[in-house]
Amino acid sequence: MNGAANALEALPLLELRRLTVRYGAVTALRGIEMQVQQGELVTLLGSNGAGKSTTLRAISRLISPAAGSVFWRGADLAGVATETTVRLGIGHCPEGRRVLGRQSVAANLELGAWIRRDREGIAADLERCYGLFPRLAERRRQLAGSLSGGEQQMLAIARALMARPTLLLLDEPSLGLAPKLVAEVMATLAELHRGGLTMLLVEQNATAALEIADRGIVLESGAIRLSGPAAEVLADPALRASYLGSG
Amino acid sequence: MDTLLQILFNGLSVGAVYALFALGYTLVFSVLGVINFAQGAVFTLGAYFTYLLIGGAVGANGLLAGLALPFALPFWLALPLAGLAAALVSLLVEAVAFRPLRRRRAEPLLYLITSLGAGVILVNLIQLLMGAEGYSLPADSLGALPVALNLGGAQVRTVQLVLLGVSALVLIGLTLWLEGSRGGKALQAVSEDATTARLLGIDSDGMILLSFAVSGFLAGISGGLVGLSISITGPYFGIGFGLKALGVLVLGGLGSVPGAVLAGLIIGLAEALVPSELSGYKDAVAFAFLFAVLLLRPQGLLGRPQVTKV
Ligand SMILES: Nc1ncnc2c1ncn2[C@@H]1O[C@H](COP(=O)(O)OP(=O)(O)OP(=O)(O)O)[C@@H](O)[C@H]1O
Ligand SMILES: [Mg+2]
C-alpha cells in the first residue's frame, strides 16, 4: 500500500510525451518531452517563434497535437475540450492579456470563477485578488478595456487565479511592461509560488523568470535546447546563444 | 392635436416590437457573427402559435383544416407559450442550418443560404398545414379590456398599449439578464472573445444554443404581438417584418442592444408619420431613412466603428 502511495506522489502533475504540433505545413513543436511536479515553478524560455505559446495551447487543448500526448495527473488529455481542462485544474492566462474589454474589472474576475459554485469562496478569493493587486480594487467598476497595459496584465493573472487552478499556465505576463512593473509581477508570481501554486511560466525575459523559477527549459525551433535547475540554466552559455539565434 | 398623439403611440408601439425582434438577430449575430435569416419564419410561427393557443381553428385550405386545440388560453398566457414554442423551433434551426456548418468551419456566407433555406421550408410547412389564408386574433383576445382607452384626450387602441408594455417589459428583462446575471455576462464574453471564454471554462456551444433559444423566443413574442395588432396576413407575413427588423439591426449598429432599441423606435415613428393616404409607401420611407443614416454613419447609430483586429 505504502509503495503505491509513494508512486502516486511521484506522478508528475503534467507530462508532455513526444509532443508534436503542426500548423498546416509549419511544424511548431518537434516531439518535446517535459514534466511539471506539484508545487514547482517551471519557466519555458526561448526566442520568438520557438514554440512556447504553442506548448501552452496544446496543454489547454486549444490545438490538438499531431503526435504525442499531454498527460494530466497520469491521464491522457486527448479528446478533452478546452472548457474541461479548466475544470480539471489547468488555468491558462493567454498571450496578449485578452481581458474582456467591454465588461468591468469585477465582471472579468467573476467570469474567472465561472466553473465554481461556492459563492462564499468566490467572494473571499475576489478580496484576495484585490489584496494582491490593489490597483484592480480601485478600478473594479471600470471597463477592463480602459485599463493600462500593466493593469490589464494584472487583471488577466487575477482572473486566471479566480478559477483556483492547480496548475497555472502564464504566457509572457511581463510583455510590454515597464521594468518596475516587471519586477512587481515577478514578485507576485513568486509569492503565489510560495503559497503552493504550480506554474508553467513562459517568458522572453529569461533572467527575471529564472530568478523566481525552480527549473528552466529553453525551446529552440520547436525542440528543447536546454533544461535544468534555474541557476544552472541561467549560468549556461547556451541560454544566451539560443536567444541570439546562433548555433 | 390628438391625432399626433395617436400617431406617436402607433409609432412607438410598432417600433418597440421591431426592437424586440431585432434583438433576436443581435444576440445570434454577437456570438456567431452571422445573421440568422430564418428569424422571419420563426416570427410568423410565433403568430400562428399564439392564434392556435388562444383557441383559433385552422381554416379550410390546410392539411389540418378545421383542427383546433381542445383548450383556449387567455392571450397573456398564450403569448409566452408561443414564445417558448418558437424558441424550440429556433433551436431546431440551429441544429439543422448552423451546427453542421460550424463543425466544418464553413464560410459565413453559407449560413445565409442555409438559414434562408430553413426559413423557406418553415414558411412552406405553415402553408401546407394551415393554408395560405390570413387569420385574425379575435377582438376579445384581451378579455375584458376595452378596445380603446382615452389618454389625455386621445383615443389609443388598447392593443397598442399592450404592444408597448409587453415589449418594454421584455426589453428590460433582457437587459437586466445580459448585464446582471452570470449567464448574461458569459454570453457577452463569448461574443467578445470566444477563445478566452473557453479558457475560462465557458461552454461556447451551450451559449450559442442559449442565444438561439432567446432569439427564437423574442421572434415568437414579436410575431404574436403583431398578429394581435394587425392580424396574420398569411405564411409570408414575417418576411417583410424580418427585413424591417434587419434594417433596424443595421441602423442601430450590429451587436448593439441599446442601438437596436433606439433604431426600432425611430423606424416605427418614421413609418407612423407617413400620411395615411401614402401608407403604401411606408416601407420605402423606412428603408430610405435607413439608407440615408448609413451613408452618414456606416457603423449605425450606436455601433462601434469597424476596426480591424491586429
Ligand atoms: N495559427 C498559426 N498558424 C500558423 N503558424 C503558426 C500559428 N501559430 C504559431 N505558428 C507558428 O508556430 C511557431 C511557434 O509559434 P509560437 O506562437 O508557439 O511561438 P512563441 O515561442 O510563443 O513565440 P513568441 O515569443 O513570439 O510569442 C512559429 O513559427 C509560428 O510562426
Ligand atoms: Mg508566444
Side-chain angles (χ1 to χ4, degrees):
Chain A
M1 283 319 284
N2 220 342
N6 282 341
L8 261 180
E9 268 167 35
L11 192 70
L13 200 56
L14 178 78
E15 183 173 11
L16 311 187
R17 285 194 208 149
R18 307 196 60 77
L19 189 71
T20 298
V21 174
R22 294 199 184 92
Y23 296 101
V26 181
T27 302
L29 291 178
R30 306 166 192 277
I32 63 165
E33 307 246 343
M34 71 170 77
Q35 295 187 350
V36 177
Q37 304 289 340
Q38 177 95 43
E40 262 191 320
L41 198 177
V42 177
T43 179
L44 188 59
L45 306 165
S47 58
N48 293 110
K52 306 178 297 291
S53 299
T54 302
T55 308
L56 299 195
R57 277 188 226 126
I59 295 169
S60 50
R61 299 227 16 110
L62 286 171
I63 34 174
S64 304
S69 352
V70 176
F71 287 86
W72 175 249
R73 296 182 189 280
D76 195 341
L77 285 184
V80 172
T82 298
E83 295 91 303
T84 312
T85 61
V86 193
R87 290 175 195 274
L88 293 175
I90 303 174
H92 186 160
C93 185
E95 190 168 28
R97 299 165 193 144
R98 313 220 20 189
V99 297
L100 298 163
R102 292 184 226 147
Q103 300 200 48
S104 69
V105 168
N108 268 270
L109 293 175
E110 279 166 41
L111 284 170
W114 172 257
I115 59 167
R116 297 170 58 188
R117 294 283 157 186
D118 54 324
R119 284 170 168 274
E120 282 154 30
I122 293 173
D125 283 356
L126 201 60
E127 288 316 310
R128 206 167 60 99
C129 278
Y130 286 143
L132 212 53
F133 302 102
R135 235 170 301 193
L136 295 181
E138 294 160 23
R139 292 166 173 75
R140 57 178 86 187
R141 299 273 147 248
Q142 203 170 315
L143 287 187
S146 69
L147 297 179
S148 77
E151 289 158 358
Q152 289 191 12
Q153 190 61 66
M154 292 172 196
L155 178 57
I157 298 173
R159 184 179 64 186
L161 290 174
M162 288 300 295
R164 283 224 176 156
T166 310
L167 167 70
L168 180 57
L169 309 173
L170 289 147
D171 202 338
E172 303 205 34
S174 77
L175 190 72
L177 300 190
K180 189 165 165 277
L181 264 180
V182 174
E184 224 174 274
V185 166
M186 290 298 160
T188 306
L189 297 184
E191 190 183 329
L192 289 168
H193 177 40
R194 277 192 299 277
L197 182 63
T198 312
M199 280 180 271
L200 182 55
L201 168 65
V202 163
E203 262 303 331
Q204 294 244 13
N205 195 334
T207 322
L210 286 167
E211 271 166 13
I212 60 166
D214 301 314
R215 279 194 300 126
I217 298 173
V218 181
L219 277 182
E220 198 179 294
S221 315
I224 292 177
R225 166 82 186 265
L226 179 65
S227 85
E232 283 175 29
V233 173
L234 193 56
D236 199 314
L239 174 68
R240 256 182 69 83
S242 176
Y243 270 89
L244 296 173
S246 59
Chain B
M1 255 333 268
D2 61 12
T3 48
L4 183 63
L5 197 64
Q6 274 165 351
I7 289 171
L8 284 182
F9 249 108
N10 267 336
L12 284 180
S13 61
V14 173
V17 178
Y18 286 158
L20 209 58
F21 191 16
L23 279 181
Y25 284 102
T26 299
L27 281 177
V28 170
F29 180 82
S30 68
V31 292
L32 277 188
V34 296
I35 301 283
N36 174 11
F37 279 96
Q39 273 291 91
V42 176
F43 170 97
T44 310
L45 275 171
Y48 279 87
F49 287 149
T50 311
Y51 171 78
L52 290 174
L53 284 168
I54 61 170
V58 181
N61 295 319
L63 267 185
L64 302 178
L67 191 93
L69 294 175
F71 52 83
L73 299 176
F75 181 78
W76 59 265
L77 195 58
L79 186 68
L81 284 179
L84 287 180
L88 288 179
V89 174
S90 184
L91 287 176
L92 191 72
V93 168
E94 193 277 337
V96 172
F98 286 82
R99 203 177 314 160
L101 293 184
R102 215 167 63 239
R103 295 264 178 274
R104 278 171 223 159
R105 299 170 193 281
E107 289 288 317
L109 190 63
L110 293 182
Y111 292 97
L112 190 155
I113 306 299
T114 52
S115 63
L116 204 55
V120 169
I121 291 171
L122 286 175
V123 166
N124 283 329
L125 263 178
I126 298 174
Q127 182 156 1
L128 179 72
L129 296 176
M130 310 238 341
E133 65 254 59
Y135 290 92
S136 31
L137 276 67
D140 62 354
S141 299
L142 292 175
L145 291 180
V147 176
L149 291 173
N150 195 318
L151 279 188
Q155 287 289 325
V156 177
R157 284 172 68 210
T158 312
V159 170
Q160 265 147 11
L161 290 178
V162 170
L163 253 60
L164 200 56
V166 172
S167 307
L169 215 66
V170 176
L171 286 173
I172 291 169
L174 189 72
T175 308
L176 288 180
W177 175 70
L178 272 175
E179 302 295 330
S181 76
R182 250 169 74 87
K185 286 175 192 163
L187 194 78
Q188 289 192 56
V190 172
S191 101
E192 184 172 344
D193 183 344
T195 305
T196 298
R198 290 173 68 202
L199 286 178
L200 300 177
I202 298 169
D203 166 21
S204 50
D205 278 353
M207 288 297 147
I208 289 169
L209 287 180
L210 186 63
S211 74
F212 270 89
V214 175
S215 96
F217 181 80
L218 294 176
I221 296 249
S222 314
L225 287 172
V226 173
L228 175 74
S229 154
I230 62 164
S231 87
I232 306 169
T233 52
Y236 290 91
F237 162 66
I239 304 289
F241 280 94
L243 284 178
K244 204 79 68 62
L246 208 54
V248 164
L249 174 71
V250 174
L251 178 63
L254 282 173
S256 163
V257 172
V261 174
L262 182 66
L265 295 179
I266 289 178
I267 294 268
L269 281 175
E271 278 185 4
L273 289 171
V274 177
S276 57
E277 60 272 23
L278 297 177
S279 69
Y281 299 103
K282 256 187 184 174
D283 291 356
V285 169
F287 279 101
F289 184 76
L290 171 73
F291 187 70
V293 171
L294 290 183
L295 280 181
L296 299 174
R297 263 187 85 80
Q299 73 270 38
L301 292 171
L302 299 184
R304 274 173 284 269
Q306 288 291 317
V307 275
T308 16
K309 279 187 188 163
V310 208

